[in-house]
Amino acid sequence: MTTKADVLVLGGGLAGLSTAYHLRREGFKGGVLVAEKREKPGGRAGTERQGRFLFDHTGHLLHLHDPYGKKLVLDLLKGNVALHERSSWIHSSGVDTRYPFQANTHGLPERVVAECVAGFARNLYRPRALAKSPSFRAWCLAAFGEGISKRFMFPYNEKLWRTPLDWLTTEWQGRFLPRPRAEEVLYGALSDQRRFFGYNAHFRYPKRGGCQALPDALAARVPELRLNCRAVSVDLAEKTAVVEGLGEVRYERLVNTLPLKEFLDLASPLPAAVREARARLRWVDVLNLNVGLSGAD
């Protein structure tokens, strides 16, 4: 059996569903097919139900800053959404301080506070020189000084990325790493600063159904979605894919939303440079342990 599609989308998570939805929204008249290997849409943005408990695949909070994206998500959830205020804390030196660490050292041992503030202040008067493309480690020292870097930036990011920070670049930071002003660093060292920093100070989350409510609502607008259809192989030269449940799919354009390593392992023929890059590709695995507790407190 051979199926034809002008656009074949691999993966029925938010990216794949959004691709199909927006192709139609923009007036695309060709045939679209979204192949999802699981029995439900959502991918990593999905939710698992265990008895009375709902568990997301790690935390998925809706940080809606783009006007169009915000309007679309709120329209999809149709009132099944609530606005929340972040309550995020960092445990270090035996105490809990507010996020972000660099603006909230109040409450830490005095020597730690002094070390952090002094290192930050030293950079103001004697800025560190940075290369054109610095490592993340060098950037932290130039941005926050030795104290904040040693007490938080280095240990946290080494734990998160599982790689020497001299190997890590800085293009990814953007809005994810707040850079408070000097007065905010000082104020946060002297008192319990309650000002919110960062892109995720407030967020939305479905009232019912976990994060699964969002891909379910989007999938209802994507009739081209096919579930229980796992991509087995992709022939890039012949523009064909073998998909469980569908057989051979001939396509004109391919949109991949699978993890890069998975796609490269099922696609061929690949240029030599791509094969070599695949062999060098590194990534971080996340082990997500969910615990459901029944009862008060």
Side-chain angles (χ1 to χ4, degrees), residues 26 53 80 96-97 103 110 124 137 171 199 237 253 256 295:
E26 295 301 315
F53 295 102
N80 180 27
D96 295 329
T97 57
E110 290 185 0
L124 295 178
R137 181 182 181 87
E171 295 92 340
Y199 72 100
R253 293 180 176 85
N256 172 61

Side-chain angles (χ1 to χ4, degrees), residues 36-273:
E36 166 56 40
K37 69 178 181 179
R38 299 196 64 199
E39 73 285 353
K40 61 182 180 181
R44 293 302 184 205
T47 303
E48 303 300 327
R49 182 182 294 273
Q50 295 289 331
R52 296 185 296 110
F53 295 102
L54 295 173
F55 296 117
D56 289 346
H57 291 287
T58 74
H60 289 293
L61 311 177
L62 303 176
H63 309 124
L64 307 178
H65 299 287
D66 173 74
Y68 171 76
K70 179 179 179 180
K71 182 177 183 300
L72 174 60
V73 169
L74 295 182
D75 177 57
L76 288 168
L77 293 175
K78 296 187 183 302
N80 180 27
V81 65
L83 182 65
H84 300 273
E85 186 176 275
R86 181 186 67 208
S87 178
S88 185
W89 300 77
I90 297 163
H91 185 79
S92 64
S93 300
V95 298
D96 295 329
T97 57
R98 297 181 186 275
Y99 170 89
F101 181 92
Q102 55 270 32
N104 293 288
T105 54
H106 177 73
L108 290 166
E110 290 185 0
R111 60 182 177 80
V112 176
V113 178
E115 181 183 9
C116 291
V117 174
F120 187 87
R122 189 176 298 116
N123 277 5
L124 295 178
Y125 295 100
R126 286 180 290 181
R128 298 171 184 262
L130 273 180
K132 184 176 181 180
S133 299
S135 69
F136 181 69
R137 181 182 181 87
W139 181 88
C140 283
L141 290 170
F144 303 112
E146 292 184 2
I148 292 173
S149 296
K150 182 180 78 174
R151 296 291 178 175
F152 178 74
M153 292 295 168
F154 291 169
Y156 175 78
N157 283 285
E158 286 170 350
K159 175 182 178 181
L160 177 67
W161 298 110
R162 309 300 299 163
T163 192
L165 300 185
D166 286 328
W167 296 3
L168 199 62
T169 60
T170 58
E171 295 92 340
W172 58 272
Q173 296 158 207
R175 58 182 182 149
F176 300 110
L177 214 163
R179 292 193 63 180
R181 301 189 303 272
E183 57 268 30
E184 293 168 334
V185 172
L186 181 59
Y187 185 78
L190 298 174
S191 65
D192 183 16
Q193 181 165 229
R194 295 177 179 269
R195 179 183 172 186
F196 285 105
F197 293 85
Y199 72 100
N200 59 354
H202 295 87
F203 59 91
R204 289 174 171 83
Y205 189 80
K207 297 177 182 178
R208 300 174 302 279
C211 194
Q212 185 72 46
L214 181 57
D216 282 351
L218 185 53
R221 302 189 185 187
V222 181
E224 302 90 349
L225 174 64
R226 299 293 180 268
L227 301 174
N228 296 303
C229 292
R230 181 177 69 91
V232 177
S233 63
V234 177
D235 188 323
L236 299 173
E238 296 296 327
K239 292 188 175 182
T240 61
V242 176
V243 181
E244 288 181 352
L246 296 174
E248 183 181 77
V249 179
R250 303 191 67 85
Y251 63 84
E252 291 299 320
R253 293 180 176 85
L254 179 71
V255 177
N256 172 61
T257 71
L258 306 181
L260 180 59
K261 62 186 180 69
E262 293 184 18
F263 175 73
L264 293 176
D265 289 345
L266 60 83
S268 65
L270 295 176

